């Protein structure tokens, strides 16, 4: 009656966690930095801060995904 231990790599949950967390990182980066850019645009009147915030948010999110899952 020996029970076989299930390793985390073998049960498929790591892939499911990554499949949910990668889009979450990307969306949250766009929302957070895009929202900050939008607020800065409203405050200063310069409309260029919104797309800059969105691009910065996506770039930082991609970097975080690479650091967490790419290595």
């Amino acid at each position: 009656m020996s029970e076989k231990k299930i390793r985390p790599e073998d049960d498929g949950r790591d892939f499911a966690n990554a499949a949910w967390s990668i889009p979450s990182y990307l969306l949250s980066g766009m929302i957070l930095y895009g929202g900050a850019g939008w607020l800065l645009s409203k405050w200063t009147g310069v409309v260029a801060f919104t797309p800059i915030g969105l691009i910065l948010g996506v770039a930082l999110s991609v970097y975080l995904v690479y650091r967490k899952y790419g290595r």
Side-chain angles (χ1 to χ4, degrees), residues 12-41:
R13 278 188 263 177
D14 287 340
F15 177 76
N17 290 339
W20 280 104
S21 63
I22 290 172
S24 299
Y25 275 118
L26 295 173
L27 284 173
S28 63
M30 284 184 359
I31 290 170
L32 181 71
Y33 285 99
W38 179 77
L39 287 174
L40 196 58
S41 292

Side-chain angles (χ1 to χ4, degrees), residues 23-69:
S24 299
Y25 275 118
L26 295 173
L27 284 173
S28 63
M30 284 184 359
I31 290 170
L32 181 71
Y33 285 99
W38 179 77
L39 287 174
L40 196 58
S41 292
K42 290 292 183 184
W43 185 51
T44 61
V46 179
V47 295
F49 286 126
T50 303
I52 290 171
L54 287 170
I55 292 169
L56 183 66
V58 169
L60 290 174
S61 298
V62 168
Y63 174 71
L64 285 176
V65 167
Y66 170 73
R67 289 280 297 176
K68 188 168 185 175
Y69 298 107

Side-chain angles (χ1 to χ4, degrees), residues 1-24:
M1 300 263 163
S2 65
E3 292 185 25
K4 183 179 176 184
K5 285 195 170 194
I6 298 175
R7 297 186 326 208
E9 305 89 52
D10 295 337
D11 67 355
R13 278 188 263 177
D14 287 340
F15 177 76
N17 290 339
W20 280 104
S21 63
I22 290 172
S24 299

